[in-house]
Amino acid sequence: MELFTYFRSSAAYRVRIALNLKNIEHRLTPVNLLKGEQLGDVYRALNPQGLLPALKLDDGRLLTQSTAILEYLEAEFPDKPLLPADPCEAATVRAWANLIACEIHPLNNLRVLKYLKGTLNVSDDEKTAWYHHWIHEGFKALEPQLAAAPYCHGAEVTLADLYLIPQVYNAQRFELDMSPYPKIRSVWDACNALPAFDAARPENQADATG
Amino acid sequence: MELFTYFRSSAAYRVRIALNLKNIEHRLTPVNLLKGEQLGDVYRALNPQGLLPALKLDDGRLLTQSTAILEYLEAEFPDKPLLPADPCEAATVRAWANLIACEIHPLNNLRVLKYLKGTLNVSDDEKTAWYHHWIHEGFKALEPQLAAAPYCHGAEVTLADLYLIPQVYNAQRFELDMSPYPKIRSVWDACNALPAFDAARPENQADATG
């Protein structure tokens, strides 16, 4: 399998963790979002939408959208499950994942920040306040729901952790005060102690730049 | 089952369609978002996050987040499947659903529009332009991917249709020009001809107001 990735893309980061956890043989092909390579002819010929991540299967078919890719990997590589067997518990894990994927991340991605700055002419301070606001809203909702340890759902890593860790990475990068979220910080520590998470960290990618 | 719903909530609308399509016995309990009932003591005692939709199972457990609820219903009520059997095709359907759930809808929901207006002081015109912009970005990406008819993925209704129809409803409500999207409009017509979709329409809800 070939994953098209960018070291700082949260959505690609989720899939990198899953591929590592499930021991799926793969290679990483970097697409530089900052240089606009995702909109270049080479990448658009492969993925007309020009978004990351995209996963090219061995038969040449291309999967897009991290949530769809993760559900695919979960169905096809069930040996190391990332969802609890109980459907109701699985729904809880998916609800946490979706809280991050649908209520935090979309508001803070690059194209939205560009629109705020370029079209609505917001100041840098307003942009940072916006960024922090949506993470705080999401983390305030998530923190009291996390009852177990060391991972979001307890003893086993689940999809929820794959969404949370990249989101915490972003929060830290934008210097968000994480002190109100001790449980989330503890999940961060526990996950990053695992080689599969560590290898997927942005700073450990071949395409990482300062 | 008991679905907590609001007639204009897109996320609740998705779940209403699924319950109808799968012939799952249920009742609808309206929570008036405009009056702030989702933040009142009664509803918060049930769902501390104060968000819609929420699905109360017969054993009293509560599921939240529409995507998690829909995956739960799909797993537990497989008789009328909303995902193709082929995992790769299922990934395509989920990618379309996620394009709407993660790239359009989160940017246009009520709390975001309130932040734009209340905190960033954008004008009404700027707010409408923002609303239209994100739908156009998403629909421009989706339209060329829809190759089949009458529904998003062909002869069978899938999860993608359950996300698309509420999004088109919103687009029309905000008077977005739908002329660039003939395939999406054709899916809209085909879906709304089905009783399960028709009964789920906002204007057909008991809590609908002008």
Side-chain angles (χ1 to χ4, degrees), chain A residues 49 51 61 64-65 67-68 72 76 87-88 91 95 98-99 102-103 106-107 111-112 115 130 133-134 141 145, chain B residues 49 51 61 64-65 67-68 71-72 76 87-88 91 95 98-99 102-103 106-107 111-112 115 130 133-134 141 145:
Chain A
Q49 246 196 293
L51 290 175
R61 292 195 286 185
T64 63
Q65 295 281 345
T67 300
Y72 173 86
E76 294 295 287
C88 209
N98 278 288
L99 190 159
C102 297
E103 291 174 23
L107 293 158
R111 64 195 189 122
V112 175
Y115 191 100
W130 165 282
H133 177 78
W134 301 114
Q145 296 184 56
Chain B
Q49 246 197 294
L51 289 176
R61 292 195 283 185
T64 62
Q65 295 282 345
T67 300
E71 291 283 352
Y72 172 87
E76 293 296 286
C88 208
N98 279 288
L99 188 159
C102 297
E103 291 174 25
L107 293 159
R111 63 193 190 124
V112 175
Y115 190 100
W130 164 282
H133 177 77
W134 301 114
Q145 295 184 55

Side-chain angles (χ1 to χ4, degrees), chain B residues 60-81:
Chain B
R61 292 195 283 185
L62 193 80
L63 306 185
T64 62
Q65 295 282 345
S66 64
T67 300
I69 294 172
L70 292 170
E71 291 283 352
Y72 172 87
L73 295 176
E74 183 65 7
E76 293 296 286
F77 300 87
D79 278 356
K80 162 75 187 167

Side-chain angles (χ1 to χ4, degrees), chain A residues 9-192:
Chain A
S9 157
S10 311
Y13 189 175
R14 297 169 191 159
V15 180
R16 292 198 301 260
I17 301 169
L19 291 168
N20 293 345
L21 281 170
K22 287 177 178 285
N23 284 312
I24 300 169
E25 205 177 317
H26 65 280
R27 62 188 170 111
L28 302 174
T29 301
V31 177
N32 192 318
L33 291 188
L34 219 60
K35 289 189 187 157
E37 285 179 2
Q38 77 281 14
L39 304 174
D41 292 343
V42 177
Y43 187 66
R44 285 288 272 269
L46 189 79
N47 180 8
Q49 246 196 293
L51 290 175
L52 289 181
L55 183 67
K56 195 171 172 184
L57 303 182
D58 292 338
D59 65 7
R61 292 195 286 185
L62 192 82
L63 306 185
T64 63
Q65 295 281 345
S66 64
T67 300
I69 294 171
L70 292 170
E71 291 282 352
Y72 173 86
L73 295 176
E74 182 64 6
E76 294 295 287
F77 300 87
D79 279 356
K80 162 76 189 169
L82 295 174
L83 283 169
D86 175 72
C88 209
E89 292 302 315
T92 299
V93 166
R94 283 198 180 97
W96 294 338
N98 278 288
L99 190 159
I100 295 163
C102 297
E103 291 174 23
I104 303 177
H105 181 250
L107 293 158
N108 286 350
N109 73 16
L110 199 58
R111 64 195 189 122
V112 175
L113 302 179
K114 275 186 181 166
Y115 191 100
L116 287 173
K117 197 121 176 69
T119 305
L120 295 178
N121 298 309
V122 308
S123 69
D124 283 337
D125 283 352
E126 285 173 322
K127 195 178 86 171
T128 302
W130 165 282
Y131 198 99
H132 285 186
H133 177 78
W134 301 114
I135 300 181
H136 278 307
E137 286 294 298
F139 282 4
K140 269 193 288 187
L142 184 62
E143 175 80 11
Q145 296 184 56
L146 302 180
Y151 309 115
C152 284
H153 191 258
E156 302 294 335
V157 168
T158 62
L159 278 183
D161 302 296
L162 276 63
Y163 284 77
L164 182 59
I165 297 310
Q167 189 58 63
V168 174
Y169 167 82
N170 288 346
Q172 291 182 336
R173 190 171 155 235
F174 283 81
E175 298 178 341
L176 182 121
D177 174 18
M178 288 293 296
S179 64
Y181 315 114
K183 289 191 231 162
I184 292 176
R185 282 187 285 126
S186 152
V187 172
W188 165 264
D189 290 337
C191 285
N192 282 319

